[in-house]
Amino acid sequence: MAHFVEVILPIPLERHFTYALTAQEAAKLGMGMRVAVPFGKSKIYTGLAVRVHTTPPQGYEAKGIHEILDTDPIVNPIQLKHWQWIAHYYMCSLGEVMRSALPSAFLLESETLVLLNKETEFDEAILNDNEFLVYEALRHQPVLKVHEIAAIIDRKNALPLLQGLLERKIIHLKETLYEQYRPKLVKYIRMGAAYNTDDALEELLHLLARAPKQSQVVLALFQLRSTTKKPISTKDLEKAANASKGVIRSLVQKEVLEEYHIQEDRVNIGTEGATDAVKELNEYQQRALQDVLKSFEEEKVALLKGITSSGKTEVYVKLIQDCLERQQQVLYLLPEIALTTQLISRLKAYFGDKIAVYHSKYNVQERVEIWKHVSHHDPKAQIVIGARSALLLPFSKVGLIIIDEEHETSFKQFDPAPRYHARDAAIVLGQLHNAHVLLGSATPSIESYHNAMVGKYGYAEINRRYGNVLLPDMELVDIKEAHRKRRMKGHFSERLLEEMTETLSLGEQVILFQNRRGFAPILECLSCGHTPQCPNCDVSLTFHQYRKQLRCHYCGHHTAMPESCMVCGSTELDTKGFGTEQIEEEVSALFPKYQVGRMDLDTTRGKHGYEKIITSFERQEIDVLVGTQMVTKGLDFRNVNLVGVLHADALLNFPDYRAHERTFQLLTQVAGRAGRTKKRGKVIIQTYNPYHQILKQVSTGAYEAMYQEQLYERELYRYPPANRVLKITFKHKNFQLLNEATDWFCGALKQKIGAAVLGPEYPPVARIRNQYLKHLLVKMDKKVALAHTKGYIKRVEKSFGAIAAYRGVRVIYNVDHI
C-alpha cells in the first residue's frame, strides 16, 4: 500500500503539498515532525508533516521525500491548531505562520554545491580565464559552494558562468541540507581513567618529580576536586596551578589528564533559587485579585485596570504562584524587550531558575534551546517571559497567560505576515489550552475596556498607588506663548528648565520624552529651500548628527551629511524640527555637570543595548534620560521625580482614528514613570494648545471621559469596537498600473459591500523602497459574519490574480488594522 504525507512548506502558498513515503518512513513519521522535501526544479525545503495517509494527490504525481529530520515532533497539535486560526483570521498562509514561528535554525534550506563532471571529456583551451579558475579549483577541491566560486572569480554573481559550464556538462550541481543548530559544548578537564586510585596517583607524582610544573597541575586538580563538586575548566586549572596551557596540553597528550565536553545552555539568566517570599498584597490589590479569580471561575478573560505604580505586578506574581503549584506553564507577554530586563530580576527573586526569556534579540541557537525547553516542559521554562513572538512557542500545558500593557500597539505585527495581534491571538491560545487569560494596563485599549463594560470580559481595578503615593502633579505649559515672548531656551520652556534644575540639585533623576529619533527630521537650504529626499521613498531624510549622516527611517538608505546644497551650492543649511539626539545635545549643554543618556532605536540595537541603559539609569549613573516611547512602557525607576514631554502636539496631529486614544495612553504612561516611591512626582507637558480636550483629560486622569468621547466618535464613524476594520494595501513599482489595479479591486468589492469600502487612497508616505502604495479600508459590521466578508474578498483576489496585467501587484491584508 502506498503512503503519503501532507506537508506545510514555509512559503506564501495557501495549500498543503503531498509527498510519497515508503512503509518504513510512514512508520517513523508523526505529525509535527520536520521532513526535507524537494520543491520546484532542484530546491530542497524543510516542511512540517501534518498528516500521514494513503490517499494519492489529485492532478499530480507525488514526489518522494528527501529525509526525515526529527525523531520527535517539534510542533504539537494545539500549537498547529493555533497556527491555523492565525492563518485563517489574519488572511495569510499557514506557511507564513510557520516561517514566523519556527526559529530559522529549524528551517533548513538546501545549499547548492558545485562538482566536476568526471564523465565529460573536453579541451581545456575552450575555457575562458574565469572558467579555467573554477575548473582548477574543482580539481584541487572536489566540492565548492556558489559563494566560494563567486570569491574565486571576484564577482558578486557567479550564476551566468556556472550556467555556461552546466550547458557544456563540465560541472553538475547538487543540493545539500545544512543543520544550522549546534549545541554549545563547554570543555572541562579531569584525571585520566588510569590515575583515579591513590596508588596510581602516588606513582604518577613520583614519575613527575623531575617536571615540577606538571606535578603542580596534578596536585592543583586534586585540590580543586576536593573543594568543588562542579566540573573543572582548563581556565580554572590554569589559574589554580599558575601554569600555562602548554603544560596542561602535554599532560593531556600523555593521557594523565583527559578533556571532556558538557552541553550547556546559551541563555542563562541565573541558576540560583528563589530568594524572596511573595509579598503580602494591600487591600486594593487583594480586592482586585478576588475580582480576577471570580472572572476566571466564570471562564472569562479578565481585564485589570490599575493606575501606574499601583502594584499590578504583585497581583500577577500571586497568580503565577498558584499556577506553578498546579504544575502548569505561565506565558507572560510584554510589548517591549526593554521591559523583560527589569521584570526578570523581579520575578527571579520570587521564582528562581524557573524563568525562560524569548524575544527577537536572541540569536537562532539561543531560540532553539528555549524552544526545546518549552516543548519538553522543562523546569527551566515554567514561566516564559517574552515579546509577541513568545506566543508561538510549543506550549503543552499553559495554565495562565498574562498580557501586560495590553493597550500597546507593539503587540501588533506589521511586516512580514502573519500580521497578527499578540493580545487577541493569546486569548485564542488560552481558549485552546483552557488557560486563564489576564489583560493588564493603566490605560486599557478602547476595545478591551468596552468588552469589560458590556460583560464579555471580567473586570478588576486598582485605583490607588502602592504605598498610597500620590499620582504625579501634571502641568500643561503653553509654548506658543513662550515662543512669542522669546522665553524658550532651545526646545525648553522656562518652567521645564526650572523644574529640571531643582530636581537635579536634589540628586533626583529626570526623564524627557520626544517621540522622534535622530537629530532633526528635515535639513533645509536657507537659500533655495531644497530638502534632501530619499531616492527610494517619498520622505525627507532625517539628520543623525552622531554619524554625520542623512538617513531614511523607512528603507535604511543613508548618505554623508552634505557640506553644501545639492541644488544651488549654498553652504547655508539649517535643520527643522528636533529628535532625541538634539535634545540630548541641548541638555548636555544646559546641564554640563550631569550625565545624559539616550534610549531610542539607535542606542538599543545590540542584544544587551536595553539592559545597559536601564541598568545605568537604575544605578543613577545617568541623571537625565532622553527617550522615545520606549521609556513610557511600564519601566520602574525609583529615583525619577520629573518627567518632561517636549512636544505633545506631534502625537495629537496624526492622521489616524486612534491618535487621541494613543496620545492619552502614551502621556499617561510616561507620566507614570514619575514619583513612584514616597515623594509626589511632577510632569511638565509642553504644548502649543494647552486647551485641547485630550491634554486636559490627561492632566486630570479622566480615562472614563476619554473612553466615552472616543466610543461616541467611533460608533458615529463606524470604527472599532463598533465595527471591524480591514486594511488592504496594494504595492507595485508602476504608478499607473497600481492605480488601474486598485480601481478594479475596489470596484469589485463595492458591488457587494458598498459604502463600507473606503478608498483607494495614497497613504502619507506613498512610495517605500521604490514601490508605490495604495490603501483600501473595509469596515465590517460585527453583526455580519466575518468569515463571509473575508471569503468574498478572497474570491475577488482570485479573479484579480487571473488578470495577467495585475499579477505583479502585491495584495497585503491587515485584519483589525491598528
Side-chain angles (χ1 to χ4, degrees), residues 218-234:
V218 172
L219 287 168
L221 181 59
F222 264 85
Q223 200 174 350
L224 282 170
R225 226 166 57 168
S226 63
T227 56
T228 180
K229 290 180 180 178
K230 290 180 181 177
I232 297 152
S233 68
T234 310

Side-chain angles (χ1 to χ4, degrees), residues 45-332:
Y45 276 102
T46 300
L48 198 69
V50 179
R51 188 169 67 95
V52 177
H53 56 86
T54 54
T55 311
Q58 296 292 315
Y60 65 93
E61 191 178 336
K63 295 177 183 176
I65 67 167
H66 190 272
E67 62 178 304
I68 298 171
L69 298 170
D70 297 312
T71 51
D72 297 303
I74 62 161
V75 172
N76 63 50
I78 295 179
Q79 190 183 12
L80 193 60
K81 243 185 211 178
H82 190 228
W83 289 5
Q84 285 166 338
W85 178 85
I86 290 172
H88 175 73
Y89 186 82
Y90 291 103
M91 299 176 78
C92 62
S93 71
L94 198 52
E96 286 171 311
V97 182
M98 174 189 165
R99 182 171 277 284
S100 180
L102 289 179
S104 56
F106 282 148
L107 295 170
L108 311 179
E109 287 183 16
S110 59
E111 184 155 26
T112 304
L113 300 179
V114 180
L115 300 89
L116 268 183
N117 188 351
K118 291 175 183 173
E119 294 173 9
T120 303
E121 290 183 10
F122 64 94
D123 183 2
E124 290 176 17
I126 66 167
L127 302 176
N128 64 32
D129 291 348
N130 281 336
E131 288 172 341
F132 186 74
L133 280 173
V134 173
Y135 173 67
E136 275 295 297
L138 285 167
R139 280 179 60 191
H140 292 97
Q141 194 174 328
V143 177
L144 285 172
K145 295 170 188 172
V146 173
H147 69 87
E148 290 171 336
I149 289 173
I152 288 166
I153 62 171
D154 197 22
R155 278 190 193 173
K156 280 187 179 177
N157 187 6
L159 295 178
L161 181 140
L162 293 176
Q163 191 61 42
L165 292 172
L166 266 174
E167 285 167 4
R168 286 173 278 171
K169 297 184 179 176
I170 296 166
I171 59 166
H172 62 91
L173 305 180
K174 183 183 175 185
E175 295 288 327
T176 306
L177 282 173
Y178 283 89
E179 182 69 68
Q180 293 180 44
Y181 174 67
R182 295 278 183 276
K184 182 185 176 184
L185 298 173
V186 180
K187 194 190 285 183
Y188 292 102
I189 205 144
R190 63 189 170 199
M191 287 301 295
Y195 301 101
N196 277 330
T197 63
D198 290 345
D199 293 342
L201 177 65
E202 198 176 324
E203 193 180 328
L204 173 65
L205 290 171
H206 181 70
L207 286 168
L208 296 176
R210 290 185 181 181
K213 289 208 169 181
Q214 292 184 2
S215 177
Q216 200 176 337
V217 168
V218 172
L219 287 168
L221 181 59
F222 264 85
Q223 200 174 350
L224 282 170
R225 226 166 57 168
S226 63
T227 56
T228 180
K229 290 180 180 178
K230 290 180 181 177
I232 297 152
S233 68
T234 310
K235 199 174 179 182
D236 292 338
L237 185 56
E238 276 176 50
K239 196 176 175 183
N242 196 18
S244 66
K245 283 180 183 169
V247 176
I248 296 169
R249 204 179 299 120
S250 64
L251 285 168
V252 171
Q253 285 165 359
K254 290 177 183 176
E255 296 183 358
V256 172
L257 300 182
E258 182 187 318
E259 287 180 338
Y260 67 105
H261 295 84
I262 295 177
Q263 187 175 327
E264 285 190 4
D265 286 353
R266 288 176 170 85
V267 180
N268 189 3
I269 61 168
T271 54
E272 65 274 13
T275 54
D276 294 358
V278 174
K279 287 180 188 172
E280 285 300 312
L281 303 182
N282 64 28
E283 58 176 303
Y284 305 104
Q285 290 170 318
Q286 194 62 47
R287 201 178 301 142
L289 178 63
Q290 293 309 316
D291 289 341
V292 168
L293 292 171
K294 188 183 172 187
S295 303
F296 288 168
E297 282 169 19
E298 294 170 3
E299 295 188 356
K300 285 182 180 178
V301 173
L303 172 67
L304 173 58
K305 179 178 177 284
I307 61 171
T308 55
S309 195
S310 58
K312 294 187 289 295
T313 306
E314 303 307 326
V315 177
Y316 302 157
V317 166
K318 279 280 187 192
L319 292 166
I320 291 168
Q321 190 183 35
D322 294 346
C323 187
L324 294 183
E325 283 169 7
R326 296 195 303 271
Q327 302 291 307
Q328 292 177 312
Q329 292 169 307
V330 177
L331 172 60
Y332 196 135

Side-chain angles (χ1 to χ4, degrees), residues 6 194 221 227 349 354 465 561 581 730 812:
E6 275 184 47
L221 181 59
T227 56
K354 296 174 182 176
R465 276 189 154 189
M561 171 70 177
E581 261 188 62
F730 299 86
I812 298 164

Side-chain angles (χ1 to χ4, degrees), residues 415-432:
D415 268 315
R419 293 168 181 83
Y420 66 99
H421 198 300
R423 178 194 63 212
D424 301 339
I427 291 168
V428 173
L429 182 69
Q431 289 168 352
L432 292 172

Side-chain angles (χ1 to χ4, degrees), residues 150 246 271 336 411 431 493 565:
T271 54
E336 279 283 351
F411 279 127
Q431 289 168 352
S493 61
C565 176

